[in-house]
Amino acid sequence: MTNARSHRLCASISLATASLALLHAGTAFAQTTSAPEAAPSDTMQAAPPAEQEIIVTGSFLRNVRQEDRASPILSVSAADIARTGVNALADITRYIPQNVGSAGGIQDLAKGGGADSRDTRSANLRGLGAGATLVLLNGRRVVPTDGFVNLNSLTPEIAIARLETVLDGASSTYGADAVAGVLNVITDTRFEGVKLTGQYTHIEDTPAFNVQGMVGLGDDRIRSVTSFAYRNIERLQNGDRDVTNFFNPSSGSGANPGAFVLYARPRTASGGDVVINGNNYSTLYDRFKNAAGTLTVVDPDCGSAATQSRYVPAANSPGFGLGACQFSFQAQNPIRPASQSVLVHNDTRFKFAPGHALYVEFGLYHQDAQRYGVPSFAQNRNGPTPPIVPGSNPLNPFGVDVGFIGRAIGSQGFAGTRYKVQRDQVDQRHLVVGAEGAISSRWNYAASFTWSRGEVNSVDKDTDMRLFQAALNGFGGPNCNIRFNGAGSGAVPGSGNCLYLSPFAKDNLTQDPSLLYNIQTEETSTNIREYLIGEAVLNGTLVEIAGRPLDIAVGTQFRKDRQVGRYSDLFQNGFGAFNGPFRDTDLKREVKSVFAEANFKPLDTLTLNAAARYEDYGNFNTVAPKLSANWRIIPEIAIRASASKAFQAPAIANSSNALIGTNVANIIDPRDGSLVFRSVLQYGNPSLQPQKADVFNIGTTLLPVRGASLSVDYWHYRYRSQIQLQNGQAVINADPNGPNVIRDAAGVAQSVIVTSYNAPSGTATSGIDVAGRYEGTIGPVGFTFRDNLSILVKYDVDTGTLVYDGVGKRNNYQTSPLTAAAAPRYRNVAGVDVSLADHALSIDWRYVSSVRDDYQQVVGAPEVARIGAWSVFDAQYNFRFGPDRRFELGVGVTNLFDKAPPHAIYTGYLSSVADPYGRQTYIRASARF
């Protein structure tokens, strides 16, 4: 260990020790109370009522108490969720410091952070990536519609009994994807009556509201609980926030005004020189044309206030024309989309015989979303030559054929069109049918069948370069008789139903609106993900050793995984200016598993647990074992330890040899130093093997006085053979002229080909979690102090060529893998709750420490900038009233002091550290009958 790392570890331990001392000091005034008579749970929350079915996250042994488990469990109750005032389940992750940001739902151009066209958010424990956290609903898998499970699609928040997070690896129990841990959403299956709640959240420029209800009917033999929710969120654009409303230049194929390639000397209709805005383009061509007889000049209106662009002259430029035209798309792109979603969930349980029950769980999720973005995409794929504006086009001021390099529409819009709206429709279904019961007094069974399906239909627009060229030639508009092989009968350039299109900025606002037909061509995609899962488990007492039971669980699971992608012609044919190419896919995989778990208490105070799971994917198989122990030395002190080997299988598409994704990224071309958006084409790799991780956790729970608890855990993860996606920048840096860099005839990089691979090693991370809680009363006033601190000690990032220490860094270097996350050293959530009769007040403090902003830097370069710490306060007041306190009114504020997020290069802010919403005020009303 280096001296620097030793010093950081000592500092972290000192902070943890200080937290211990503070908690002890906080409990000193309650020393008159006696020690607890029974050992409470390590989960920081009271256990559910005895009549409610107990789901033990991380175990198949139903007769093992959660407090005897060795894995650290963070439990969030329904009351805890209500106290935060979150509008959707995913927002609760900001109160879990072990969760390092989330993917999806917001724009994150720097890291490709998931879909930004719909309301979707992932979990991301320990910053190991969304795919390393397994998300369950009532202990069962849910289809990962967006490449990860959308937390907001699981169940209405009103139906949640508690949220449990296992903070060490759980592959031995659940199989793949549980490397960093498990987030298990557990619904209330025993609710009786009717409950209604509504919440309106005011966020400047992007308000939201949520209406929910729950109905529980039945008796001791049959019970059915149905819940529903409707959520509406308004869009938020970069231009609505100062932190994201800045000039973020795009030039070349992404600019408007763009640039034009002169193929001949400009001339007027009478043969004279072309002079525009006092600049003589004919003499400019004479002086600076190249050996091939061409010259590239910027749009004559570049730099004008109306176009909101900047002219950047070339070195030693003699005057206007040579150089680059920079345009900023920033303000018109979204921070988050608008969305409207409906959730319905039902749990029904029928006791058909003594000790036996059938159960059905059904979930339905539908979302409509609208992403408002720039009115046209960049033209990244222009073929061997850019589109040609012929000299015969009367809107061409140069009088000769010129090539156009740029974006069809700029910030001015086009005849009133300022945005391009992408529309997503998400439909998700989840059905579980199962039975469970007792075979004998010592053995129980459970068997279930799960069908989980998600479908995303997207309607977007891109420029069909064939239609664009036709309009430049005078065959534009939806009613012009133009065919794939040329003009049809009666079609005359610029006459009748046929229109000329101009890509010059001077004509943006005055052209015929129907020419949008040639600029915004509809393209559709459908992506389907489906799970079919059958599972059976037996659990009970195998033998008794010295009068103590050896409890075991054995089971098997069969899972069919299917992924379908369907794309319209423009996505596939290569004529789209920006999107694609994509290919239709229909990929299938079968996974067979067997697993076993054993639990033994050689002493009343000592619990030993062993588990293992074997999974067979056909082209590879793997085993994940786990050993753990929990020793309650005395009623007030317990220690625990666990060690396991976790694994994560390659995604089904990633294991194929197909083209599985196309994205865009800022790429620096080492040949000329230009920084532009380029297509990144991702292919699968059939040779991929599972990535594996060694996971270790040791911790202690202290119960110094009644009502107080303190837990400290040291955790460690180390990947082996980690699946990494090649970095597009690293690919072009390694071989600028190689087969994985696609260039046009002029040598301009158009696309970079990347694939995934098993790195020799992988991310290694470790840290310390400190969680404390103290509950007490002073007369009629009840109070709770709570704190949850996560300290990052190590976050070593493997770039493929070197390993660097990522603690305290953004980890967005030029060659950083896309799996690398921002790694603040400290994340903390602390709070105090006070209650008096029917009144309750809660205050939370959320803190994330600063990180170095290394965006697009070279590893090892001197520090340029930092992204500051994020420290905000939330508050909520609740009042219960009416007969039997059936009614409740709550008001609250998130980010009480309206703190803006700290600045980050290129993206404006860092979504895994802070949010750009500002102060959020809300009011919530609920009633129960």
Side-chain angles (χ1 to χ4, degrees), residues 807-890:
V807 176
K809 297 182 176 67
R810 181 176 179 174
N811 295 314
N812 209 161
Y813 291 104
Q814 286 186 22
T815 54
S816 289
L818 296 180
T819 52
R825 184 175 294 278
Y826 303 108
R827 289 177 177 268
N828 191 68
V829 177
V832 58
D833 310 311
V834 180
S835 62
L836 174 62
D838 294 325
H839 304 268
L841 175 68
S842 295
I843 298 175
D844 285 281
W845 172 55
R846 294 180 283 129
Y847 173 81
V848 181
S849 60
S850 65
V851 295
R852 170 185 171 178
D853 197 343
D854 47 41
Y855 177 72
Q856 287 293 304
Q857 284 190 264
V858 176
V859 175
E863 182 174 310
V864 174
R866 293 193 70 81
I867 300 170
W870 174 246
S871 179
V872 295
F873 290 87
D874 309 329
Q876 183 187 104
Y877 166 73
N878 269 4
F879 172 57
R880 292 184 177 182
F881 59 98
D884 300 323
R885 306 169 74 196
R886 291 179 177 179
F887 303 100
E888 184 174 352
L889 183 67

Side-chain angles (χ1 to χ4, degrees), residues 56-72:
V56 180
T57 304
S59 175
F60 286 110
L61 293 165
R62 297 295 176 174
N63 56 342
V64 175
R65 299 181 305 172
Q66 192 71 280
E67 57 261 34
D68 291 330
R69 302 287 299 164
S71 296

Side-chain angles (χ1 to χ4, degrees), residues 88-297:
L89 174 60
D91 292 339
I92 199 66
T93 58
R94 66 191 181 204
Y95 294 91
I96 301 175
Q98 293 80 8
N99 189 84
V100 184
S102 298
I106 57 174
Q107 189 178 62
D108 184 4
L109 294 174
K111 273 288 187 182
D116 67 355
S117 57
R118 52 188 175 272
D119 176 26
T120 178
R121 296 297 280 164
S122 75
N124 183 15
L125 294 175
R126 308 301 188 192
L128 294 177
T133 300
L134 179 62
V135 175
L136 304 174
L137 179 60
N138 290 322
R140 292 176 284 266
R141 286 177 179 264
V142 180
V143 69
T145 302
D146 291 303
F148 51 79
V149 174
N150 178 11
L151 296 177
N152 291 338
S153 72
L154 293 175
T155 190
E157 291 73 32
I158 197 172
I160 297 174
R162 65 190 188 279
L163 178 70
E164 291 187 343
T165 305
V166 179
L167 295 174
D168 66 353
S171 290
S172 60
T173 303
Y174 299 112
D177 310 327
V179 176
V182 174
L183 190 149
N184 187 18
V185 178
I186 301 169
T187 58
D188 185 353
T189 61
R190 302 297 299 171
F191 177 79
E192 185 172 349
V194 177
K195 184 177 181 180
L196 300 172
T197 183
Q199 177 172 315
Y200 174 79
T201 303
H202 173 73
I203 308 174
E204 186 177 358
D205 303 306
T206 178
F209 67 87
N210 195 347
V211 178
Q212 301 185 73
M214 184 161 62
V215 179
L217 302 170
D219 51 30
D220 290 339
R221 189 177 183 193
I222 183 170
R223 179 163 299 281
S224 182
V225 179
T226 302
S227 57
F228 67 87
Y230 175 78
R231 181 166 59 246
N232 183 86
I233 301 173
E234 297 296 328
R235 65 186 173 99
L236 183 66
Q237 304 298 124
N238 284 333
D240 295 329
R241 292 291 183 270
D242 290 341
V243 71
T244 52
N245 189 19
F246 56 89
F247 194 85
N248 198 349
S250 181
S251 58
S253 61
N256 185 295
F260 296 88
V261 182
L262 305 177
Y263 294 107
R265 189 178 193 272
R267 64 176 184 271
T268 64
S270 60
D273 288 359
V274 171
V275 180
I276 306 173
N277 298 330
N279 300 300
N280 191 315
Y281 286 89
S282 301
T283 58
L284 192 69
Y285 173 85
D286 293 337
R287 291 183 58 190
F288 295 100
K289 65 182 177 181
N290 60 24
T294 66
L295 177 68
T296 301
V297 297

Side-chain angles (χ1 to χ4, degrees), residues 517-773:
Y517 168 80
N518 299 86
I519 297 175
Q520 293 186 343
T521 300
E522 186 173 284
E523 54 188 3
T524 63
S525 66
T526 298
N527 287 277
I528 300 170
R529 192 72 186 271
E530 186 175 59
Y531 276 166
L532 292 173
I533 304 173
E535 184 174 79
V537 182
L538 288 174
N539 73 86
T541 301
L542 181 63
V543 296
E544 289 191 357
I545 302 174
R548 296 181 179 274
L550 173 63
D551 296 320
I552 69 165
V554 293
T556 184
Q557 184 186 88
F558 176 77
R559 184 169 81 245
K560 294 186 70 172
D561 187 357
R562 185 184 183 199
Q563 183 172 332
V564 177
R566 302 190 186 106
Y567 303 93
S568 62
D569 288 345
L570 191 57
F571 269 123
Q572 298 201 51
N573 60 26
F575 290 107
F578 187 79
N579 285 326
F582 289 90
R583 298 290 178 263
D584 286 351
T585 56
D586 191 345
L587 306 171
K588 300 176 183 178
R589 180 167 67 187
E590 295 182 354
V591 184
K592 305 176 183 69
S593 306
V594 293
F595 47 89
E597 182 181 357
N599 197 82
F600 183 61
K601 298 184 70 170
L603 303 172
D604 289 341
T605 57
L606 177 63
T607 302
L608 304 177
N609 187 275
R613 188 180 183 105
Y614 168 82
E615 291 203 350
D616 183 356
Y617 286 77
N619 56 333
F620 58 81
N621 55 69
T622 188
V623 176
K626 183 174 183 178
L627 296 173
S628 59
N630 189 334
W631 182 25
R632 193 168 295 278
I633 304 172
I634 59 175
E636 293 79 17
I637 300 176
I639 60 173
R640 57 183 169 270
S642 64
S644 65
K645 291 186 178 296
F647 74 96
Q648 184 180 353
I652 183 173
N654 224 8
S655 294
S656 72
N657 57 7
L659 173 64
I660 61 174
T662 301
N663 201 350
V664 293
N666 260 332
I667 300 291
I668 300 173
D669 191 340
R671 292 202 341 188
D672 59 12
S674 60
L675 173 66
V676 291
F677 264 139
R678 288 296 173 233
S679 300
V680 179
L681 310 179
Q682 181 184 352
Y683 283 82
N685 180 359
S687 300
L688 280 178
Q689 295 293 305
Q691 59 184 6
K692 300 183 178 181
D694 298 321
V695 184
F696 174 75
N697 189 95
I698 185 169
T700 182
T701 297
L702 308 177
L703 308 169
V705 294
R706 181 182 296 275
S709 62
L710 177 69
S711 68
V712 181
D713 284 271
Y714 171 80
W715 47 269
H716 173 83
Y717 299 80
R718 184 174 186 83
Y719 270 113
R720 294 179 289 110
S721 302
Q722 186 173 14
I723 297 173
Q724 300 277 30
L725 178 63
Q726 289 177 320
N727 182 300
Q729 185 65 61
V731 169
I732 196 172
N733 285 351
D735 192 354
N737 302 307
N740 292 326
V741 180
I742 301 173
R743 296 182 180 273
D744 62 18
V748 178
Q750 298 294 313
S751 301
V752 178
I753 297 174
V754 299
T755 190
S756 296
Y757 64 97
N758 288 104
S761 58
T763 304
T765 183
S766 61
I768 299 170
D769 290 344
V770 181
R773 187 180 187 93

Side-chain angles (χ1 to χ4, degrees), residues 303-327:
S304 68
T307 63
Q308 301 176 35
S309 59
R310 292 179 183 176
Y311 170 59
V312 181
N316 302 317
S317 177
F320 182 87
L322 305 183
C325 192
Q326 293 184 345
F327 157 79

